[in-house]
């Protein structure tokens, strides 16, 4: 019998996380009966103690807010992708005990867009300027050939986004949140804001919209995503991102490639439908 292998998602709050549903569905499909995946409520203060308490049965961790930056000093190695946005959402424990950090949000975004046929756009808009927005800029460094306009609420946020743009090689133009309705005419719009933040602009969806990537998955559809679909526009949702970034985590932690995308998405859809 194979030795038990463990993985989990850490964060605070964590009760809402769909990660256990997605990872467990992958383990079931791959026949990994000796693997388990749990969730733990862990804040920044508790993180070092939690990490130090892990034994050799642990294969990896998924990290959500507020731990994506706090984990970095506790790692032996950080991938170039994670370092580019100073955010780690994946830790893999190697056979020799090293802790290796990566960011699967960025390639997950790119994969979710490519699944919908989006390989390259001439320009894009980003709504918001939080941690997810920096990952969005890193993804846009791959798929956007031209400028990215970021709609933000303060001069400080605007400066941050321009700084991320310089670091990531993206031509970032900043605009005031009051003008966010103008974002919706871009060929690709990435909404990285909390629930309800984009409700006020839903009346401004153009008659022939481009592609909307709304990173929320609950509640779904958002009012913006629903209005976008009603106008015939293509929508990529937060569940698409969640599944693609989790798929990459499963591959890194288990070494099994490819991970079962369809089974993971089905499990996620069923879990959301039952809430």
């Amino acid at each position: 019998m194979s030795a038990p292998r463990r993985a989990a998602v850490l964060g605070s709050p964590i009760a809402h996380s769909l990660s256990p549903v997605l990872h467990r569905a992958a383990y079931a499909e791959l026949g990994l009966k000796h693997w388990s995946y749990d969730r733990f409520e862990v804040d920044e203060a508790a993180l070092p103690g939690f990490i130090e308490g892990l034994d050799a049965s642990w294969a990896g961790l998924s990290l959500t807010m507020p731990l994506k930056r706090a984990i970095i000093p506790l790692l032996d190695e950080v991938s170039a992708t994670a370092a580019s946005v100073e955010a780690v959402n994946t830790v893999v424990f190697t056979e020799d005990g090293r802790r290796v950090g990566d960011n699967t949000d960025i390639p997950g975004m790119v994969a979710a867009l490519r699944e919908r046929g989006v390989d390259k756009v001439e320009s894009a808009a980003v709504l918001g300027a939080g941690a997810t927005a920096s990952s969005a800029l890193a993804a846009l460094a791959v798929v956007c050939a031209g400028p990215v306009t970021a709609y933000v609420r303060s001069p400080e946020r605007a400066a941050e986004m321009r700084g991320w743009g310089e670091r990531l090689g993206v031509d970032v133009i900043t605009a005031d949140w009051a003008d966010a309705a103008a974002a919706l005419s871009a060929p690709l719009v990435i909404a990285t804001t909390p629930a309800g933040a984009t409700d006020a602009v839903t009346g401004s969806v153009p008659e022939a919209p481009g592609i909307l990537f709304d990173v929320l998955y609950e509640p779904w559809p958002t009012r913006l995503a629903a209005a976008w679909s009603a106008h015939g526009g293509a929508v990529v949702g937060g569940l698409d991102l969640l599944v693609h970034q989790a798929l990459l985590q499963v591959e890194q932690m288990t070494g099994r490639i490819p991970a079962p995308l369809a089974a993971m998405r089905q499990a996620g859809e069923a879990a959301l439908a039952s809430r």
Side-chain angles (χ1 to χ4, degrees), residues 183-196:
L184 307 189
S185 60
L188 170 62
V189 180
I190 304 183
T192 70
T193 49

Side-chain angles (χ1 to χ4, degrees), residues 121-205:
V121 291
E122 292 305 313
S123 62
V126 174
L127 297 170
T132 307
S134 58
S135 291
L137 287 181
L140 287 169
V142 178
V143 301
C144 185
V148 175
T149 306
Y151 291 80
V152 299
R153 295 186 183 276
S154 70
E156 294 77 18
R157 291 289 198 179
E160 283 179 18
M161 289 297 277
R162 287 194 296 270
W164 282 118
E166 288 176 17
R167 182 169 179 167
L168 296 164
V170 179
D171 179 13
V172 174
I173 302 162
T174 52
D176 193 275
W177 184 258
D179 301 318
L184 307 189
S185 60
L188 170 62
V189 180
I190 304 183
T192 70
T193 49
T198 59
D199 287 359
V201 301
T202 55
S204 300
V205 176

Side-chain angles (χ1 to χ4, degrees), residues 6 76 100 156 171 224 226 248:
R6 299 189 68 184
D76 298 302
V100 180
E156 294 77 18
D171 179 13
L224 180 58
L248 294 168

Side-chain angles (χ1 to χ4, degrees), residues 20-231:
V21 170
L22 302 180
H23 285 252
R24 290 169 187 169
Y27 298 166
E29 187 74 10
L30 294 169
L32 300 176
K33 295 179 181 179
H34 58 298
W35 282 71
S36 64
Y37 189 100
D38 301 295
R39 62 164 73 89
F40 292 94
E41 183 81 18
V42 177
D43 62 14
E44 290 162 289
L47 182 61
F50 185 93
I51 297 294
E52 291 301 326
L54 301 180
D55 62 24
S57 68
W58 283 83
L61 297 170
S62 308
L63 299 157
T64 186
M65 300 305 293
L67 305 179
K68 293 184 180 184
R69 190 162 291 174
I71 189 67
I72 293 175
L74 307 175
L75 301 175
D76 298 302
E77 181 184 334
V78 175
S79 72
T81 302
S84 73
V85 291
E86 296 177 5
V88 166
N89 77 328
T90 307
V91 176
V92 173
F93 301 107
T94 64
E95 288 185 4
D96 58 0
R98 299 175 72 252
R99 306 165 184 165
V100 180
D102 194 13
N103 185 309
T104 65
D105 285 330
I106 296 165
M109 280 188 175
V110 173
L113 285 165
R114 284 182 171 161
E115 187 179 31
R116 302 302 176 89
V118 183
D119 288 304
K120 193 66 73 175
V121 291
E122 292 305 313
S123 62
V126 174
L127 297 170
T132 307
S134 58
S135 291
L137 287 181
L140 287 169
V142 178
V143 301
C144 185
V148 175
T149 306
Y151 291 80
V152 299
R153 295 186 183 276
S154 70
E156 294 77 18
R157 291 289 198 179
E160 283 179 18
M161 289 297 277
R162 287 194 296 270
W164 282 118
E166 288 176 17
R167 182 169 179 167
L168 296 164
V170 179
D171 179 13
V172 174
I173 302 162
T174 52
D176 193 275
W177 184 258
D179 301 318
L184 307 189
S185 60
L188 170 62
V189 180
I190 304 183
T192 70
T193 49
T198 59
D199 287 359
V201 301
T202 55
S204 300
V205 176
E207 282 305 311
I211 302 118
L212 171 68
F213 193 159
D214 195 324
V215 303
L216 294 174
Y217 62 86
E218 194 175 22
W220 188 261
T222 62
R223 285 182 60 187
L224 180 58
W228 205 270
S229 294
H231 284 76

Side-chain angles (χ1 to χ4, degrees), residues 7-9 14-29 36-39 62 217-218 239 242-243 245-247 249-250 260-275:
V9 59
I14 201 62
H16 70 287
S17 176
L18 275 181
S19 292
V21 170
L22 302 180
H23 285 252
R24 290 169 187 169
Y27 298 166
E29 187 74 10
S36 64
Y37 189 100
D38 301 295
R39 62 164 73 89
S62 308
Y217 62 86
E218 194 175 22
L239 183 60
L242 199 64
V243 169
Q245 65 82 25
L247 178 139
Q249 290 182 335
V250 169
L261 177 66
M264 294 170 73
R265 176 176 276 126
Q266 269 186 333
E269 289 171 346
L272 287 175
S274 68
R275 289 185 176 181

